[in-house]
Amino acid sequence: MMKHTIRKHILPTLTACTLAMGCMGCYDDENASVAAISQIAASVTMLGDVNLDAILTIADAVLLNRYIAEDDAITMSEQGLANADLTQNGEVNSDDVSMLLQILSNIIEPPQVIVETTTSSTEITTTTTTTTTTTTSSTATTTTTTAITTTTTTTAPLTQAVVIDGRTLPVGVSYNALTAILGSPTETLTEVRNDYTLTYYVFAEDIAQTVIAISNGSRVIGYYATCAAYTNQSDLTISEYHDSFSNDILYAILALDSDYTLRMSSITDKTNLATFSKLNFHATNAMRGLHDLNAYQWCDTAAQVAYEHSLEMAQLDYFSHDAADGTRFSARLDAAGINWRACAENINAGYWTPFDAADGWYNSPSGHRDNVLGSYTYLGIGFAYDADSTYHIYGTQDYYTPF
């Protein structure tokens, strides 16, 4: 480090019945017959149809999410609440939203409707009388059918999600399903790798609750998120980040599908390095949010200065705040036309993901943390990779406050 001074909602008991009545019977002069009246009572719920329009759309997910968030403008009928209980546990909560989004994204099949059917027959006695001139006889025939109740229940499929500080982050859903829960992203980044392309949706309107959703283009395959606690209800692999300056408390996690990696080893083009750097920027601001500090503003010029220094360290295989020609970082900012009143720089090497690199600076006892949590205005970040260098990956953060 170098520095210059200058709801949960319990469902009400609800039964919606449809009554169908019919009469079947016949009469035969030759044989006694049975007439019966059959009635069928069915309690049917269309799970997921929260707005009661008889179809499942993203509008149902939005309505349900707003209701759970206790939006005062939203009210739901008893039937709507019954339809909202996709997990069939008598409660309406974020698990139901997550399941509905996975259904809409065709990740899982809709749960089967619970149908309870009762068939009953009313006892009827028919008497046939045959009369002759000499004998009168009466024959009574009685038929009774016992009522039978059949209940078919199909267990709803398990929801894939990571729950952070009570917020449910669904796994495997589409972009539209994701934004129905988290709103519009503050930034979208794309990174091309050898075998796939990753898209990062950054949700950082409140930097203290930063969430970065990671998508393979069609579905969410992971998250980076600040949190104090989490529950993994998915198959994702979790990496935890702890604050060594605050009793080693958990401050963030990276949850990622094991078929994917965020390691930088195969990335060499400048566009992808810019994405890596921007992810490090958002992680840095997330750390500031945890300390009630304002977000740093991104500076493209400072980012270019930082990148060029990282690239030189990687290509010339050295590690220092001073450039190969002895130039100090403050002079590099001057040369780029940045009129600074105070400035500082962090460098590191050997960190393979942007979040690991941010964590390294955050937990550094050598003053790097002071810069992360400092009072500067602007920040530019640049990472570079060279397979032949000692540490392979080099990163630089340049901070400054203008006059």
Side-chain angles (χ1 to χ4, degrees):
M1 184 276 296
M2 294 290 290
K3 183 182 297 185
H4 262 269
T5 41
I6 284 237
R7 250 175 226 250
K8 182 162 86 168
H9 301 277
I10 304 299
L11 282 175
T13 302
L14 176 65
T15 303
C17 294
T18 303
L19 184 63
M21 299 185 65
C23 181
M24 298 184 297
C26 62
Y27 183 81
D28 190 317
D29 286 341
E30 300 295 330
N31 300 292
S33 302
V34 177
I37 298 175
S38 298
Q39 64 182 26
I40 301 175
S43 174
V44 179
T45 300
M46 183 176 179
L47 297 178
D49 182 23
V50 180
N51 60 8
L52 304 181
D53 63 356
I55 57 174
L56 298 187
T57 67
I58 196 66
D60 294 295
V62 172
L63 178 61
L64 179 54
N65 194 57
R66 290 179 64 186
Y67 177 78
I68 292 172
E70 299 183 351
D71 187 331
D72 292 337
I74 299 299
T75 59
M76 287 176 58
S77 66
E78 288 187 346
Q79 183 64 63
L81 284 173
N83 291 357
D85 184 23
L86 282 91
T87 56
Q88 305 279 287
N89 64 355
E91 300 175 359
V92 174
N93 54 37
S94 56
D95 289 341
D96 299 296
V97 178
S98 181
M99 180 173 288
L100 179 53
L101 292 175
Q102 292 191 73
I103 292 170
L104 293 172
S105 301
N106 296 318
I107 303 300
I108 61 175
E109 293 294 325
Q112 295 294 317
V113 172
I114 294 180
V115 179
E116 190 170 285
T117 304
T118 302
T119 303
S120 62
S121 298
T122 302
E123 179 181 293
I124 294 181
T125 300
T126 302
T127 302
T128 302
T129 302
T130 302
T131 305
T132 66
T133 56
T134 58
T135 306
T136 300
S137 64
S138 297
T139 304
T141 303
T142 301
T143 303
T144 302
T145 302
T146 304
I148 300 174
T149 299
T150 303
T151 301
T152 302
T153 304
T154 299
T155 303
L158 294 175
T159 302
Q160 289 276 305
V162 178
V163 181
I164 59 166
D165 296 337
R167 294 181 292 165
T168 298
L169 304 179
V171 177
V173 299
S174 66
Y175 171 79
N176 288 339
L178 179 70
T179 55
I181 290 181
L182 299 179
S184 299
T186 52
E187 186 168 19
T188 299
L189 303 166
T190 302
E191 184 176 68
V192 179
R193 291 177 173 267
N194 285 344
D195 300 321
Y196 44 81
T197 297
L198 295 180
T199 302
Y200 302 88
Y201 301 108
V202 181
F203 300 89
E205 186 172 345
D206 179 356
I207 57 174
Q209 296 185 350
T210 295
V211 172
I212 302 176
I214 306 165
S215 170
N216 67 354
S218 61
R219 63 184 183 88
V220 173
I221 51 95
Y223 292 94
Y224 173 84
T226 56
C227 63
Y230 71 94
T231 302
N232 188 9
Q233 300 174 352
S234 72
D235 297 327
L236 301 186
T237 300
I238 304 289
S239 298
E240 297 182 349
Y241 294 96
H242 295 260
D243 184 350
S244 61
F245 286 80
S246 300
N247 297 317
D248 208 36
I249 62 171
L250 178 73
Y251 74 85
I253 63 168
L254 172 63
L256 189 65
D257 188 317
S258 59
D259 290 335
Y260 298 85
T261 180
L262 300 188
R263 288 175 65 85
M264 190 181 170
S265 55
S266 63
I267 301 174
T268 55
D269 71 274
K270 193 174 187 298
T271 300
N272 281 341
L273 295 176
T275 293
F276 191 100
S277 301
K278 264 301 187 71
L279 292 172
N280 182 267
F281 170 76
H282 288 296
T284 300
N285 271 339
M287 295 163 184
R288 292 177 61 79
L290 297 176
H291 295 266
D292 296 321
L293 299 172
N294 292 330
Y296 283 131
Q297 298 177 49
W298 178 263
C299 176
D300 285 331
T301 303
Q304 183 64 29
V305 172
Y307 170 73
E308 289 175 357
H309 184 59
S310 294
L311 184 62
E312 183 180 273
M313 287 192 294
Q315 291 178 340
L316 300 183
D317 198 13
Y318 74 90
F319 184 71
S320 172
H321 287 283
D322 294 341
D325 63 0
T327 304
R328 302 286 289 170
F329 72 91
S330 54
R332 294 194 293 270
L333 293 176
D334 288 337
I338 293 177
N339 188 19
W340 54 267
R341 177 171 57 84
C343 61
E345 181 177 83
N346 286 343
I347 60 174
N348 67 19
Y351 289 94
W352 289 92
T353 78
F355 309 119
D356 289 349
D359 180 74
W361 281 318
Y362 186 54
N363 281 300
S364 170
S366 302
H368 303 93
R369 181 185 177 94
D370 293 339
N371 290 339
V372 170
L373 303 180
S375 57
Y376 304 100
T377 306
Y378 292 98
L379 173 59
I381 305 173
F383 282 82
Y385 172 79
D386 191 299
D388 296 327
S389 61
T390 300
Y391 299 107
H392 305 300
I393 303 167
Y394 296 77
T396 303
Q397 291 184 324
D398 281 330
Y399 304 79
Y400 75 94
T401 299
F403 276 108

